[in-house]
Amino acid sequence: MSTTTATPPAAPVTKAQPGKVTQLRVLNSEWIKLRTLRSTPITLLVAVVIMVGLGMLITWAHASHGGGPNGHSDPVNGAELSLALYFLAQLAIGVLGVLIVSGEYSTGMIRASLSAVPKRLPVLWAKALVYAAVVLVLMTAASLAAFYGGQAILSSYGEAVKISDPGAARVVFGTGLYLTVVGVLGVGLGALIRNGAGAIATLVGLLIIVPGLSHLLPSSWSPHIVPYLPSNAGGALLNVVPDSTLMSPWSGFALFVGYAVALLLIAGVLLKRRDA
Amino acid sequence: MIVASNLTKRYGDKTAVDDLSFTIKPGIVTGFLGPNGAGKSTTMRMIMGLDTPTSGSVTVNGRPYAEHAAPLHEVGALLEAKAIHTGRSARNHLLALAATTGIGARRVDEVIDLVGLHEVARKRAGGFSLGMGQRLGIASALLGDPATVLLDEPVNGLDPEGILWIRNLLKGLAAEGRTVFVSSHLMSEMALTAEHLIVVGRGKLIADTSVAEFTRSASRNIVRVRSPHADRLRGLLLGPDVTVDSPEPGTLEVTGLDSDRIGTLAAEHGVTLFELAPQQASLEEAFMELTRDAVEYHATTTVAGSVA
């Protein structure tokens, strides 16, 4: 604060600290909002339990039944195996991203938020940034825990990999990055569609159902479409040995980030133009 | 100071606000009056920059609301009772809003005490009654100690004690030199709280007048006279600017003469009077009269049994 002078009592209207709205203050506001809803820790806990707990369980099940007659013809890399549950965890992360925005529309909170920040865009940027930071930290930690937990199980079967093995570190940290982008996609879809159910359905369709349907495409089309679907592009980062039918790991991830940023920008334009 | 010029909002082919112009001055409470669906809430949302006008403009303290660097210090608004995330506590809700402009927890606790929500400040807002929601909305409106206060139907859901509290709060805010703009569909409430009135119907401006003026013009001074010589009396009373109706034999309703004059005339001509009663139309009646053509939703059907 600047120097305080005695306020003249004659002034008809006294103003409490005339503080400007800044992006940093809006970030702080969104951070308060995020941590003061019960759904936040619950959903994030679910994501961690899926990643670490369920991930280790699957790793154990896979390894312990791997060598016998029912064994897998297709050997799975230990790093990929221990992190395979990112596929389920992305639902929790994406859904919470949607709810951060759609929850404000369904409750009417958005009118309070946009009255406080009438320029509007800082609210969207802050929501995306705060959530991305939280997801990045938490899911990178969960990925490391799932990796080391998984390798501890695999070591008794002699199948453990080390983080220094080629591609392993990229997959471990890539999982945290991938989930962060999913979180931002959720925020973008929430802001774009504003209705929670609609945005969640779109998210699930985009990340899970559409790639699953891609085998229906004529085989001559597939190479031109399949690698560029959002979750396939982002998922390229998560293969220890790059998949030749997909984009290269980092360019695929860059495209995935591009989708999320584009979605957020479109949502921003609409947020600015639509009536709240 | 709020200035609206030719403010218009259309939703499809429905015009919610139609070419509305007005100026809301500081230092007094201005009532924004109109039947349901008259466009009051839409106008308030446009003032707050939540809805974009189809045409025209509205400024607060000299510029559009969204262009203020410190908006919460310019305008505090209660737009809908529950513009609150139901899962968050009242205090956290206020902390989050306060953070956008650097207001700290001390001011948050101050406004919580001011609106009397101390006991429930840490409870989830989803469980709040309508009245508690209104109080929380008022707390958020006052957070930034704003020069202009905008309240949409603040007395909705409040008990008599709460209504009295709002009335005094609004008058207090105006006395401090603030601009206070309050919407209501209850004329009687506005008559007690406001000094000036903006009356709208179907999105159009119907009246922009002081409450005193509105009351004066509203009370059409009718004097009801009952006399066994009604017909003779009618002849005596009639003149320019005087109309006499006879709703039933032996009863006259006189407009344009006061009861003193009628009594004197009757005495001078030896006319017996059984009753001489000035009738004042209530404010509510005057308001209904004024907005009759502008009411969006008329109750046109009567209960079937009563018709038969």
Side-chain angles (χ1 to χ4, degrees), chain A residues 12 14 17 19 21 25 29 33 36 38 107-108 111 115 118-120 275-276, chain B residues 9 49-52 65-66 69-70 73 80 82 88 96 101 124 145 176:
Chain A
T14 53
Q17 323 123 319
V21 174
R25 284 175 163 166
S29 168
K33 282 190 201 168
T36 52
R38 218 180 288 168
T107 55
R111 285 183 288 273
S115 295
K119 294 206 192 312
R120 298 188 178 188
D275 287 344
Chain B
K9 180 70 180 179
L50 293 172
D51 285 11
T52 315
Y65 177 68
H73 300 281
E80 264 138 302
K82 289 195 172 175
R88 204 172 276 124
T101 181
R124 281 158 54 107
D145 198 11
E176 288 168 0

PDB file of all heavy atoms in Angstrom, chain A residues 12 14 17 19 21 25 29 33 36 38 107-108 111 115 118-120 275-276, chain B residues 9 49-52 65-66 69-70 73 80 82 88 96 101 124 145 176:
ATOM      1  N   PRO A  12     -17.821  12.131   1.006  1.00  0.00           N
ATOM      2  CA  PRO A  12     -19.122  11.486   1.100  1.00  0.00           C
ATOM      3  C   PRO A  12     -19.024   9.962   1.038  1.00  0.00           C
ATOM      4  O   PRO A  12     -19.760   9.269   1.693  1.00  0.00           O
ATOM      5  CB  PRO A  12     -19.878  12.027  -0.115  1.00  0.00           C
ATOM      6  CG  PRO A  12     -18.814  12.489  -1.073  1.00  0.00           C
ATOM      7  CD  PRO A  12     -17.663  12.896  -0.240  1.00  0.00           C
ATOM      8  N   THR A  14     -16.419   6.753   1.464  1.00  0.00           N
ATOM      9  CA  THR A  14     -15.093   6.260   1.793  1.00  0.00           C
ATOM     10  C   THR A  14     -14.891   4.932   1.093  1.00  0.00           C
ATOM     11  O   THR A  14     -15.767   4.081   1.078  1.00  0.00           O
ATOM     12  CB  THR A  14     -14.958   6.053   3.303  1.00  0.00           C
ATOM     13  OG1 THR A  14     -16.039   5.240   3.735  1.00  0.00           O
ATOM     14  CG2 THR A  14     -14.986   7.363   4.043  1.00  0.00           C
ATOM     15  N   GLN A  17      -9.528  -0.076   0.749  1.00  0.00           N
ATOM     16  CA  GLN A  17      -8.382  -0.184  -0.156  1.00  0.00           C
ATOM     17  C   GLN A  17      -8.811  -0.315  -1.611  1.00  0.00           C
ATOM     18  O   GLN A  17      -9.312  -1.357  -2.001  1.00  0.00           O
ATOM     19  CB  GLN A  17      -7.539  -1.427   0.214  1.00  0.00           C
ATOM     20  CG  GLN A  17      -7.455  -1.677   1.685  1.00  0.00           C
ATOM     21  CD  GLN A  17      -7.953  -3.068   2.026  1.00  0.00           C
ATOM     22  OE1 GLN A  17      -8.929  -3.587   1.515  1.00  0.00           O
ATOM     23  NE2 GLN A  17      -7.247  -3.695   2.931  1.00  0.00           N
ATOM     24  N   GLY A  19      -8.424  -1.559  -4.526  1.00  0.00           N
ATOM     25  CA  GLY A  19      -7.552  -2.521  -5.176  1.00  0.00           C
ATOM     26  C   GLY A  19      -8.001  -2.825  -6.584  1.00  0.00           C
ATOM     27  O   GLY A  19      -9.178  -3.004  -6.844  1.00  0.00           O
ATOM     28  N   VAL A  21      -8.223  -5.118 -10.001  1.00  0.00           N
ATOM     29  CA  VAL A  21      -8.269  -6.534 -10.336  1.00  0.00           C
ATOM     30  C   VAL A  21      -7.049  -6.841 -11.196  1.00  0.00           C
ATOM     31  O   VAL A  21      -6.830  -6.200 -12.214  1.00  0.00           O
ATOM     32  CB  VAL A  21      -9.551  -6.865 -11.120  1.00  0.00           C
ATOM     33  CG1 VAL A  21      -9.519  -8.307 -11.588  1.00  0.00           C
ATOM     34  CG2 VAL A  21     -10.765  -6.619 -10.250  1.00  0.00           C
ATOM     35  N   ARG A  25      -4.283 -11.629  -8.726  1.00  0.00           N
ATOM     36  CA  ARG A  25      -5.337 -11.679  -7.700  1.00  0.00           C
ATOM     37  C   ARG A  25      -6.447 -12.646  -8.099  1.00  0.00           C
ATOM     38  O   ARG A  25      -7.010 -13.341  -7.258  1.00  0.00           O
ATOM     39  CB  ARG A  25      -5.914 -10.272  -7.492  1.00  0.00           C
ATOM     40  CG  ARG A  25      -4.982  -9.410  -6.679  1.00  0.00           C
ATOM     41  CD  ARG A  25      -5.464  -7.999  -6.549  1.00  0.00           C
ATOM     42  NE  ARG A  25      -4.761  -7.343  -5.443  1.00  0.00           N
ATOM     43  CZ  ARG A  25      -4.750  -6.049  -5.234  1.00  0.00           C
ATOM     44  NH1 ARG A  25      -5.433  -5.251  -6.040  1.00  0.00           N
ATOM     45  NH2 ARG A  25      -4.102  -5.534  -4.223  1.00  0.00           N
ATOM     46  N   SER A  29      -7.860 -15.914  -6.233  1.00  0.00           N
ATOM     47  CA  SER A  29      -9.289 -16.148  -6.033  1.00  0.00           C
ATOM     48  C   SER A  29      -9.683 -17.549  -6.503  1.00  0.00           C
ATOM     49  O   SER A  29     -10.407 -18.279  -5.811  1.00  0.00           O
ATOM     50  CB  SER A  29     -10.090 -15.078  -6.795  1.00  0.00           C
ATOM     51  OG  SER A  29     -11.442 -15.433  -6.856  1.00  0.00           O
ATOM     52  N   LYS A  33     -11.188 -20.756  -4.550  1.00  0.00           N
ATOM     53  CA  LYS A  33     -12.386 -21.465  -4.994  1.00  0.00           C
ATOM     54  C   LYS A  33     -12.137 -22.958  -5.140  1.00  0.00           C
ATOM     55  O   LYS A  33     -12.947 -23.778  -4.724  1.00  0.00           O
ATOM     56  CB  LYS A  33     -12.842 -20.919  -6.356  1.00  0.00           C
ATOM     57  CG  LYS A  33     -13.585 -19.608  -6.299  1.00  0.00           C
ATOM     58  CD  LYS A  33     -14.179 -19.357  -7.674  1.00  0.00           C
ATOM     59  CE  LYS A  33     -14.498 -17.904  -7.903  1.00  0.00           C
ATOM     60  NZ  LYS A  33     -14.800 -17.660  -9.330  1.00  0.00           N
ATOM     61  N   THR A  36     -11.785 -24.842  -1.758  1.00  0.00           N
ATOM     62  CA  THR A  36     -12.860 -24.753  -0.778  1.00  0.00           C
ATOM     63  C   THR A  36     -14.105 -25.523  -1.208  1.00  0.00           C
ATOM     64  O   THR A  36     -15.168 -25.344  -0.636  1.00  0.00           O
ATOM     65  CB  THR A  36     -13.260 -23.283  -0.511  1.00  0.00           C
ATOM     66  OG1 THR A  36     -13.524 -22.639  -1.753  1.00  0.00           O
ATOM     67  CG2 THR A  36     -12.162 -22.550   0.228  1.00  0.00           C
ATOM     68  N   ARG A  38     -15.625 -29.389  -1.643  1.00  0.00           N
ATOM     69  CA  ARG A  38     -15.314 -30.729  -1.207  1.00  0.00           C
ATOM     70  C   ARG A  38     -15.023 -31.656  -2.393  1.00  0.00           C
ATOM     71  O   ARG A  38     -14.291 -32.620  -2.279  1.00  0.00           O
ATOM     72  CB  ARG A  38     -16.488 -31.275  -0.384  1.00  0.00           C
ATOM     73  CG  ARG A  38     -16.046 -32.113   0.782  1.00  0.00           C
ATOM     74  CD  ARG A  38     -17.234 -32.625   1.564  1.00  0.00           C
ATOM     75  NE  ARG A  38     -17.908 -31.583   2.329  1.00  0.00           N
ATOM     76  CZ  ARG A  38     -19.100 -31.747   2.902  1.00  0.00           C
ATOM     77  NH1 ARG A  38     -19.743 -32.890   2.775  1.00  0.00           N
ATOM     78  NH2 ARG A  38     -19.648 -30.773   3.598  1.00  0.00           N
ATOM     79  N   THR A 107     -24.874 -23.256 -10.551  1.00  0.00           N
ATOM     80  CA  THR A 107     -25.267 -22.674  -9.267  1.00  0.00           C
ATOM     81  C   THR A 107     -25.550 -21.173  -9.349  1.00  0.00           C
ATOM     82  O   THR A 107     -26.114 -20.602  -8.437  1.00  0.00           O
ATOM     83  CB  THR A 107     -24.165 -22.856  -8.213  1.00  0.00           C
ATOM     84  OG1 THR A 107     -22.948 -22.299  -8.725  1.00  0.00           O
ATOM     85  CG2 THR A 107     -23.947 -24.316  -7.891  1.00  0.00           C
ATOM     86  N   GLY A 108     -25.149 -20.528 -10.447  1.00  0.00           N
ATOM     87  CA  GLY A 108     -25.334 -19.081 -10.536  1.00  0.00           C
ATOM     88  C   GLY A 108     -24.110 -18.314 -10.063  1.00  0.00           C
ATOM     89  O   GLY A 108     -24.040 -17.092 -10.181  1.00  0.00           O
ATOM     90  N   ARG A 111     -22.249 -15.503 -12.113  1.00  0.00           N
ATOM     91  CA  ARG A 111     -22.618 -14.083 -12.136  1.00  0.00           C
ATOM     92  C   ARG A 111     -21.848 -13.301 -11.075  1.00  0.00           C
ATOM     93  O   ARG A 111     -21.466 -12.153 -11.305  1.00  0.00           O
ATOM     94  CB  ARG A 111     -24.123 -13.933 -11.973  1.00  0.00           C
ATOM     95  CG  ARG A 111     -24.883 -14.308 -13.240  1.00  0.00           C
ATOM     96  CD  ARG A 111     -26.364 -14.076 -13.085  1.00  0.00           C
ATOM     97  NE  ARG A 111     -26.949 -15.068 -12.201  1.00  0.00           N
ATOM     98  CZ  ARG A 111     -27.391 -16.255 -12.612  1.00  0.00           C
ATOM     99  NH1 ARG A 111     -27.344 -16.566 -13.884  1.00  0.00           N
ATOM    100  NH2 ARG A 111     -27.896 -17.112 -11.777  1.00  0.00           N
ATOM    101  N   SER A 115     -19.098 -10.562 -12.114  1.00  0.00           N
ATOM    102  CA  SER A 115     -19.313  -9.215 -11.588  1.00  0.00           C
ATOM    103  C   SER A 115     -18.037  -8.715 -10.930  1.00  0.00           C
ATOM    104  O   SER A 115     -17.695  -7.544 -11.026  1.00  0.00           O
ATOM    105  CB  SER A 115     -20.442  -9.203 -10.558  1.00  0.00           C
ATOM    106  OG  SER A 115     -21.663  -9.526 -11.173  1.00  0.00           O
ATOM    107  N   PRO A 118     -15.230  -8.203 -14.341  1.00  0.00           N
ATOM    108  CA  PRO A 118     -16.076  -8.014 -15.519  1.00  0.00           C
ATOM    109  C   PRO A 118     -15.335  -8.121 -16.850  1.00  0.00           C
ATOM    110  O   PRO A 118     -15.975  -8.261 -17.888  1.00  0.00           O
ATOM    111  CB  PRO A 118     -16.650  -6.608 -15.326  1.00  0.00           C
ATOM    112  CG  PRO A 118     -15.758  -5.943 -14.356  1.00  0.00           C
ATOM    113  CD  PRO A 118     -15.161  -7.010 -13.500  1.00  0.00           C
ATOM    114  N   LYS A 119     -14.001  -8.105 -16.809  1.00  0.00           N
ATOM    115  CA  LYS A 119     -13.279  -8.327 -18.065  1.00  0.00           C
ATOM    116  C   LYS A 119     -13.322  -9.804 -18.461  1.00  0.00           C
ATOM    117  O   LYS A 119     -12.948 -10.173 -19.565  1.00  0.00           O
ATOM    118  CB  LYS A 119     -11.839  -7.847 -17.941  1.00  0.00           C
ATOM    119  CG  LYS A 119     -11.742  -6.339 -17.750  1.00  0.00           C
ATOM    120  CD  LYS A 119     -10.429  -5.792 -18.239  1.00  0.00           C
ATOM    121  CE  LYS A 119     -10.191  -4.349 -17.802  1.00  0.00           C
ATOM    122  NZ  LYS A 119     -11.321  -3.438 -18.026  1.00  0.00           N
ATOM    123  N   ARG A 120     -13.728 -10.643 -17.545  1.00  0.00           N
ATOM    124  CA  ARG A 120     -14.050 -12.047 -17.766  1.00  0.00           C
ATOM    125  C   ARG A 120     -12.870 -12.974 -18.075  1.00  0.00           C
ATOM    126  O   ARG A 120     -12.733 -14.028 -17.473  1.00  0.00           O
ATOM    127  CB  ARG A 120     -15.097 -12.209 -18.891  1.00  0.00           C
ATOM    128  CG  ARG A 120     -16.396 -11.551 -18.534  1.00  0.00           C
ATOM    129  CD  ARG A 120     -17.463 -11.881 -19.558  1.00  0.00           C
ATOM    130  NE  ARG A 120     -18.743 -11.277 -19.197  1.00  0.00           N
ATOM    131  CZ  ARG A 120     -19.866 -11.528 -19.822  1.00  0.00           C
ATOM    132  NH1 ARG A 120     -19.887 -12.371 -20.824  1.00  0.00           N
ATOM    133  NH2 ARG A 120     -20.979 -10.949 -19.428  1.00  0.00           N
ATOM    134  N   ASP A 275     -23.895 -13.648 -23.128  1.00  0.00           N
ATOM    135  CA  ASP A 275     -24.480 -13.140 -21.885  1.00  0.00           C
ATOM    136  C   ASP A 275     -24.268 -14.179 -20.799  1.00  0.00           C
ATOM    137  O   ASP A 275     -24.386 -15.380 -21.046  1.00  0.00           O
ATOM    138  CB  ASP A 275     -25.979 -12.874 -22.057  1.00  0.00           C
ATOM    139  CG  ASP A 275     -26.237 -11.637 -22.914  1.00  0.00           C
ATOM    140  OD1 ASP A 275     -25.290 -10.855 -23.094  1.00  0.00           O
ATOM    141  OD2 ASP A 275     -27.366 -11.485 -23.400  1.00  0.00           O
ATOM    142  N   ALA A 276     -23.948 -13.718 -19.617  1.00  0.00           N
ATOM    143  CA  ALA A 276     -23.701 -14.668 -18.527  1.00  0.00           C
ATOM    144  C   ALA A 276     -25.009 -15.066 -17.853  1.00  0.00           C
ATOM    145  O   ALA A 276     -25.899 -14.267 -17.726  1.00  0.00           O
ATOM    146  CB  ALA A 276     -22.768 -14.058 -17.494  1.00  0.00           C
TER     147      ALA A 276
ATOM    148  N   LYS B   9     -32.696  -4.317 -24.973  1.00  0.00           N
ATOM    149  CA  LYS B   9     -32.248  -5.703 -25.005  1.00  0.00           C
ATOM    150  C   LYS B   9     -33.330  -6.565 -25.615  1.00  0.00           C
ATOM    151  O   LYS B   9     -34.463  -6.584 -25.150  1.00  0.00           O
ATOM    152  CB  LYS B   9     -31.935  -6.191 -23.589  1.00  0.00           C
ATOM    153  CG  LYS B   9     -31.458  -7.637 -23.533  1.00  0.00           C
ATOM    154  CD  LYS B   9     -30.078  -7.798 -24.115  1.00  0.00           C
ATOM    155  CE  LYS B   9     -29.592  -9.237 -24.058  1.00  0.00           C
ATOM    156  NZ  LYS B   9     -28.254  -9.389 -24.657  1.00  0.00           N
ATOM    157  N   GLY B  49     -22.799  -5.423 -16.688  1.00  0.00           N
ATOM    158  CA  GLY B  49     -22.004  -5.971 -17.782  1.00  0.00           C
ATOM    159  C   GLY B  49     -22.167  -7.462 -17.985  1.00  0.00           C
ATOM    160  O   GLY B  49     -21.387  -8.092 -18.689  1.00  0.00           O
ATOM    161  N   LEU B  50     -23.176  -8.061 -17.355  1.00  0.00           N
ATOM    162  CA  LEU B  50     -23.376  -9.501 -17.516  1.00  0.00           C
ATOM    163  C   LEU B  50     -24.101  -9.803 -18.820  1.00  0.00           C
ATOM    164  O   LEU B  50     -23.852 -10.809 -19.469  1.00  0.00           O
ATOM    165  CB  LEU B  50     -24.164 -10.074 -16.330  1.00  0.00           C
ATOM    166  CG  LEU B  50     -23.424 -10.052 -14.998  1.00  0.00           C
ATOM    167  CD1 LEU B  50     -24.345 -10.440 -13.859  1.00  0.00           C
ATOM    168  CD2 LEU B  50     -22.227 -10.993 -15.030  1.00  0.00           C
ATOM    169  N   ASP B  51     -25.033  -8.942 -19.197  1.00  0.00           N
ATOM    170  CA  ASP B  51     -25.705  -9.047 -20.487  1.00  0.00           C
ATOM    171  C   ASP B  51     -25.280  -7.842 -21.325  1.00  0.00           C
ATOM    172  O   ASP B  51     -25.157  -6.734 -20.805  1.00  0.00           O
ATOM    173  CB  ASP B  51     -27.232  -9.024 -20.319  1.00  0.00           C
ATOM    174  CG  ASP B  51     -27.762 -10.349 -19.785  1.00  0.00           C
ATOM    175  OD1 ASP B  51     -26.931 -11.175 -19.370  1.00  0.00           O
ATOM    176  OD2 ASP B  51     -28.984 -10.544 -19.776  1.00  0.00           O
ATOM    177  N   THR B  52     -25.083  -8.077 -22.609  1.00  0.00           N
ATOM    178  CA  THR B  52     -24.711  -6.982 -23.498  1.00  0.00           C
ATOM    179  C   THR B  52     -25.976  -6.380 -24.091  1.00  0.00           C
ATOM    180  O   THR B  52     -26.818  -7.109 -24.593  1.00  0.00           O
ATOM    181  CB  THR B  52     -23.826  -7.514 -24.643  1.00  0.00           C
ATOM    182  OG1 THR B  52     -22.853  -8.372 -24.075  1.00  0.00           O
ATOM    183  CG2 THR B  52     -23.154  -6.384 -25.380  1.00  0.00           C
ATOM    184  N   TYR B  65     -19.363  -0.517 -16.708  1.00  0.00           N
ATOM    185  CA  TYR B  65     -18.896  -1.228 -15.522  1.00  0.00           C
ATOM    186  C   TYR B  65     -17.619  -2.026 -15.785  1.00  0.00           C
ATOM    187  O   TYR B  65     -16.687  -2.000 -14.987  1.00  0.00           O
ATOM    188  CB  TYR B  65     -19.999  -2.161 -15.024  1.00  0.00           C
ATOM    189  CG  TYR B  65     -19.594  -2.990 -13.834  1.00  0.00           C
ATOM    190  CD1 TYR B  65     -19.361  -2.393 -12.601  1.00  0.00           C
ATOM    191  CD2 TYR B  65     -19.434  -4.371 -13.943  1.00  0.00           C
ATOM    192  CE1 TYR B  65     -18.974  -3.144 -11.509  1.00  0.00           C
ATOM    193  CE2 TYR B  65     -19.045  -5.131 -12.853  1.00  0.00           C
ATOM    194  CZ  TYR B  65     -18.817  -4.523 -11.637  1.00  0.00           C
ATOM    195  OH  TYR B  65     -18.430  -5.273 -10.567  1.00  0.00           O
ATOM    196  N   ALA B  66     -17.583  -2.726 -16.922  1.00  0.00           N
ATOM    197  CA  ALA B  66     -16.452  -3.610 -17.201  1.00  0.00           C
ATOM    198  C   ALA B  66     -15.143  -2.846 -17.372  1.00  0.00           C
ATOM    199  O   ALA B  66     -14.073  -3.433 -17.309  1.00  0.00           O
ATOM    200  CB  ALA B  66     -16.723  -4.453 -18.445  1.00  0.00           C
ATOM    201  N   ALA B  69     -11.225  -0.357 -13.284  1.00  0.00           N
ATOM    202  CA  ALA B  69     -10.080  -1.162 -12.863  1.00  0.00           C
ATOM    203  C   ALA B  69     -10.377  -1.897 -11.556  1.00  0.00           C
ATOM    204  O   ALA B  69      -9.927  -3.011 -11.347  1.00  0.00           O
ATOM    205  CB  ALA B  69      -8.843  -0.286 -12.702  1.00  0.00           C
ATOM    206  N   ALA B  70     -11.154  -1.260 -10.695  1.00  0.00           N
ATOM    207  CA  ALA B  70     -11.479  -1.863  -9.397  1.00  0.00           C
ATOM    208  C   ALA B  70     -13.004  -1.975  -9.260  1.00  0.00           C
ATOM    209  O   ALA B  70     -13.617  -1.259  -8.479  1.00  0.00           O
ATOM    210  CB  ALA B  70     -10.892  -1.028  -8.273  1.00  0.00           C
ATOM    211  N   HIS B  73     -15.152  -1.977  -6.059  1.00  0.00           N
ATOM    212  CA  HIS B  73     -15.179  -0.738  -5.292  1.00  0.00           C
ATOM    213  C   HIS B  73     -16.109   0.293  -5.919  1.00  0.00           C
ATOM    214  O   HIS B  73     -16.447   1.285  -5.292  1.00  0.00           O
ATOM    215  CB  HIS B  73     -13.771  -0.163  -5.159  1.00  0.00           C
ATOM    216  CG  HIS B  73     -12.832  -1.093  -4.470  1.00  0.00           C
ATOM    217  ND1 HIS B  73     -12.814  -1.248  -3.108  1.00  0.00           N
ATOM    218  CD2 HIS B  73     -11.928  -1.968  -4.956  1.00  0.00           C
ATOM    219  CE1 HIS B  73     -11.919  -2.171  -2.787  1.00  0.00           C
ATOM    220  NE2 HIS B  73     -11.375  -2.624  -3.890  1.00  0.00           N
ATOM    221  N   GLU B  80     -28.993 -12.000  -8.006  1.00  0.00           N
ATOM    222  CA  GLU B  80     -29.941 -13.049  -7.697  1.00  0.00           C
ATOM    223  C   GLU B  80     -29.584 -13.575  -6.327  1.00  0.00           C
ATOM    224  O   GLU B  80     -28.418 -13.582  -5.957  1.00  0.00           O
ATOM    225  CB  GLU B  80     -29.887 -14.171  -8.726  1.00  0.00           C
ATOM    226  CG  GLU B  80     -30.939 -13.978  -9.783  1.00  0.00           C
ATOM    227  CD  GLU B  80     -30.396 -14.289 -11.151  1.00  0.00           C
ATOM    228  OE1 GLU B  80     -29.411 -13.661 -11.545  1.00  0.00           O
ATOM    229  OE2 GLU B  80     -30.939 -15.169 -11.798  1.00  0.00           O
ATOM    230  N   LYS B  82     -29.156 -16.303  -5.030  1.00  0.00           N
ATOM    231  CA  LYS B  82     -28.159 -17.345  -4.851  1.00  0.00           C
ATOM    232  C   LYS B  82     -27.186 -17.424  -6.016  1.00  0.00           C
ATOM    233  O   LYS B  82     -27.132 -18.413  -6.713  1.00  0.00           O
ATOM    234  CB  LYS B  82     -28.837 -18.683  -4.577  1.00  0.00           C
ATOM    235  CG  LYS B  82     -29.476 -18.703  -3.193  1.00  0.00           C
ATOM    236  CD  LYS B  82     -29.831 -20.091  -2.740  1.00  0.00           C
ATOM    237  CE  LYS B  82     -30.280 -20.076  -1.283  1.00  0.00           C
ATOM    238  NZ  LYS B  82     -30.753 -21.378  -0.830  1.00  0.00           N
ATOM    239  N   ARG B  88     -19.878 -24.297  -1.288  1.00  0.00           N
ATOM    240  CA  ARG B  88     -18.852 -23.503  -0.617  1.00  0.00           C
ATOM    241  C   ARG B  88     -19.461 -22.794   0.593  1.00  0.00           C
ATOM    242  O   ARG B  88     -20.632 -22.433   0.575  1.00  0.00           O
ATOM    243  CB  ARG B  88     -18.299 -22.495  -1.616  1.00  0.00           C
ATOM    244  CG  ARG B  88     -16.911 -22.009  -1.312  1.00  0.00           C
ATOM    245  CD  ARG B  88     -16.359 -21.161  -2.453  1.00  0.00           C
ATOM    246  NE  ARG B  88     -15.760 -21.968  -3.515  1.00  0.00           N
ATOM    247  CZ  ARG B  88     -16.119 -21.913  -4.797  1.00  0.00           C
ATOM    248  NH1 ARG B  88     -17.071 -21.110  -5.181  1.00  0.00           N
ATOM    249  NH2 ARG B  88     -15.524 -22.673  -5.682  1.00  0.00           N
ATOM    250  N   ALA B  96     -13.139 -15.635  -1.704  1.00  0.00           N
ATOM    251  CA  ALA B  96     -12.759 -15.801  -3.113  1.00  0.00           C
ATOM    252  C   ALA B  96     -13.080 -14.538  -3.910  1.00  0.00           C
ATOM    253  O   ALA B  96     -12.276 -14.090  -4.724  1.00  0.00           O
ATOM    254  CB  ALA B  96     -13.477 -17.011  -3.713  1.00  0.00           C
ATOM    255  N   THR B 101      -9.757  -8.532  -5.809  1.00  0.00           N
ATOM    256  CA  THR B 101      -9.420  -7.124  -5.758  1.00  0.00           C
ATOM    257  C   THR B 101      -8.529  -6.806  -4.561  1.00  0.00           C
ATOM    258  O   THR B 101      -8.337  -5.658  -4.188  1.00  0.00           O
ATOM    259  CB  THR B 101     -10.727  -6.288  -5.788  1.00  0.00           C
ATOM    260  OG1 THR B 101     -10.410  -4.926  -5.751  1.00  0.00           O
ATOM    261  CG2 THR B 101     -11.650  -6.632  -4.639  1.00  0.00           C
ATOM    262  N   ARG B 124     -22.000 -24.603   4.636  1.00  0.00           N
ATOM    263  CA  ARG B 124     -22.190 -24.611   3.182  1.00  0.00           C
ATOM    264  C   ARG B 124     -23.397 -23.777   2.791  1.00  0.00           C
ATOM    265  O   ARG B 124     -24.481 -23.904   3.366  1.00  0.00           O
ATOM    266  CB  ARG B 124     -22.407 -26.054   2.701  1.00  0.00           C
ATOM    267  CG  ARG B 124     -21.124 -26.856   2.591  1.00  0.00           C
ATOM    268  CD  ARG B 124     -21.394 -28.342   2.652  1.00  0.00           C
ATOM    269  NE  ARG B 124     -22.385 -28.738   1.649  1.00  0.00           N
ATOM    270  CZ  ARG B 124     -22.080 -29.407   0.542  1.00  0.00           C
ATOM    271  NH1 ARG B 124     -20.845 -29.740   0.296  1.00  0.00           N
ATOM    272  NH2 ARG B 124     -23.007 -29.748  -0.309  1.00  0.00           N
ATOM    273  N   ASP B 145     -16.908  -1.867  -0.334  1.00  0.00           N
ATOM    274  CA  ASP B 145     -17.336  -0.554   0.135  1.00  0.00           C
ATOM    275  C   ASP B 145     -17.658   0.352  -1.052  1.00  0.00           C
ATOM    276  O   ASP B 145     -17.109   1.441  -1.189  1.00  0.00           O
ATOM    277  CB  ASP B 145     -16.210   0.054   0.984  1.00  0.00           C
ATOM    278  CG  ASP B 145     -16.722   1.184   1.862  1.00  0.00           C
ATOM    279  OD1 ASP B 145     -17.964   1.334   1.953  1.00  0.00           O
ATOM    280  OD2 ASP B 145     -15.906   1.912   2.435  1.00  0.00           O
ATOM    281  N   GLU B 176     -24.826   8.189   3.273  1.00  0.00           N
ATOM    282  CA  GLU B 176     -23.370   8.315   3.168  1.00  0.00           C
ATOM    283  C   GLU B 176     -22.937   8.840   1.808  1.00  0.00           C
ATOM    284  O   GLU B 176     -21.745   8.914   1.531  1.00  0.00           O
ATOM    285  CB  GLU B 176     -22.713   6.950   3.412  1.00  0.00           C
ATOM    286  CG  GLU B 176     -22.778   6.505   4.864  1.00  0.00           C
ATOM    287  CD  GLU B 176     -22.394   5.036   5.037  1.00  0.00           C
ATOM    288  OE1 GLU B 176     -22.079   4.375   4.032  1.00  0.00           O
ATOM    289  OE2 GLU B 176     -22.421   4.558   6.170  1.00  0.00           O
TER     290      GLU B 176
END
